[in-house]
Amino acid sequence: MWIDSHCHISADAFSADRGDVLDRATRAGVDALIAIGSGYGLDHNASALSLAAEDPRVFATVGVHPHEASELDLNGDGRGRLEAWLGAPRVVGVGECGLDYHYMNSDRDVQREVLAYQLALARDRDLPVSIHVRGDEPNAFEELLDIWRTEGRGEIEGVLHCYTGTLDFALRALDANLYISFSGILTFRNDRGLRQTAAALPLEKLMVETDAPLLSPEGLRGRRNEPESVGVVGEVLAATLGAPLEEIAHATAANARRLFRLGGISGSDERSGG
Ligand SMILES: [Zn+2]
Ligand SMILES: [Zn+2]
């Protein structure tokens, strides 16, 4: 029913009970999840890949989070490591990559260079991209779109994950072949502006995600988040759009399947051939 289009199931927060977490997600109607390889240290790419290899519900991305950008040795073995991971089976995308000017764990120049490199890789490998952008609005967004256009040359697709930006930027992102994904932030009581943005966007471009283990939805805040909660985001999106829950589940899952081309990957339950 649901697809968690962005979670960090390979993170250490799940090492004690990962199997139970995945089974709870299945019982909650989560058919598939995208295990993001980046965000918890470069080596977690390998962990996401092995999870995807072991479990037909899990697909993996490979990338370098902007926080980790300075960890990637672009002039040494960095490219080789990333490109070897990208060649593994059940890799469905590049990312998450992007710009984070909120925490600034890596210098801006390094973040931009590592993002540009990954977008060029995505274009070269014909893979979609999971994008992270945060802080220094609207400058970070403008820079992101600039690099996206320059490196992507109109040939790549992607998703802005955990969207919290303006309606104006979301519409420009849609024009640039990007989908928009909402996380538990959409459910936060004090974030009515984000729901107004969501209400103005076309459902055929929207996805839902948990970004687990972070960003538990309203009512569960402060606890470890799990992929099983993706439906809670979906419920708020359904109420926001005034659409039946089944329609939201179906549409957001179909969008994720289309972008990440989950249909034709071996090991998946879905064999739509797409
Ligand atoms: Zn992110
Ligand atoms: Zn993430």
Side-chain angles (χ1 to χ4, degrees):
M1 180 172 176
W2 298 102
I3 291 183
D4 186 350
S5 71
H6 184 116
C7 63
H8 298 269
I9 192 69
S10 68
D12 292 345
F14 297 114
S15 21
D17 60 346
R18 190 171 288 111
D20 295 341
V21 170
L22 288 167
D23 290 343
R24 270 198 290 280
T26 301
R27 284 198 296 277
V30 180
D31 295 331
L33 34 92
I34 309 290
I36 300 296
S38 62
Y40 289 79
L42 272 185
D43 290 335
H44 272 277
N45 281 296
S47 316
L49 290 178
S50 46
L51 277 176
E54 287 162 13
D55 192 315
R57 296 166 291 189
V58 180
F59 299 88
T61 68
V62 165
V64 185
H65 193 282
H67 291 337
E68 306 156 345
S70 52
E71 270 185 60
L72 185 78
D73 185 2
L74 269 183
N75 302 313
D77 66 348
R79 292 171 197 261
R81 289 175 77 198
L82 207 62
E83 288 167 35
W85 282 325
L86 274 172
R90 295 173 63 78
V91 170
V92 296
V94 171
E96 61 184 294
C97 55
L99 302 174
D100 194 308
Y101 295 162
H102 181 76
Y103 288 113
M104 289 296 293
N105 293 358
S106 297
D107 288 345
R108 288 186 184 222
D109 284 350
V110 175
Q111 290 192 35
R112 284 190 285 257
E113 186 185 7
V114 170
L115 169 63
Y117 164 61
Q118 291 177 86
L119 297 184
L121 259 183
R123 188 165 54 80
D124 190 49
R125 304 284 177 112
D126 190 27
L127 285 168
V129 189
S130 184
I131 295 278
H132 171 111
V133 58
R134 184 161 185 213
D136 192 16
E137 297 170 33
N139 300 323
F141 284 165
E142 298 298 341
E143 282 182 24
L144 177 90
L145 267 191
D146 263 2
I147 299 171
W148 176 259
R149 289 212 179 85
T150 308
E151 299 298 334
R153 301 183 200 166
E155 294 166 19
I156 50 176
E157 285 189 296
V159 52
L160 291 184
H161 106 87
C162 191
Y163 192 70
T164 56
T166 62
L167 174 60
D168 174 64
F169 185 77
L171 293 172
R172 289 168 59 204
L174 298 188
D175 275 346
N177 293 330
L178 286 159
Y179 288 76
I180 302 286
S181 176
F182 290 107
S183 68
I185 293 177
L186 189 75
T187 71
F188 291 177
R189 219 170 326 209
N190 58 2
D191 222 328
R192 210 157 55 89
L194 188 59
R195 291 193 284 278
Q196 284 168 350
T197 294
L201 294 172
L203 179 55
E204 68 267 20
K205 290 291 179 183
L206 303 185
M207 291 178 202
V208 285
E209 66 173 83
T210 59
D211 205 14
L214 302 177
L215 295 177
S216 286
E218 191 71 51
L220 300 166
R221 289 176 77 171
R223 293 192 221 170
R224 180 185 73 173
N225 198 9
E226 294 189 13
E228 71 164 343
S229 293
V230 71
V232 179
V233 181
E235 281 168 23
V236 171
L237 186 61
T240 303
L241 301 185
L245 189 64
E246 296 69 32
E247 186 185 338
I248 297 300
H250 182 265
T252 54
N255 296 341
R257 285 189 198 287
R258 191 186 319 128
L259 177 67
F260 291 107
R261 304 169 201 157
L262 304 187
I265 294 185
S266 68
S268 164
D269 296 333
E270 297 292 322
R271 295 185 182 275
S272 60

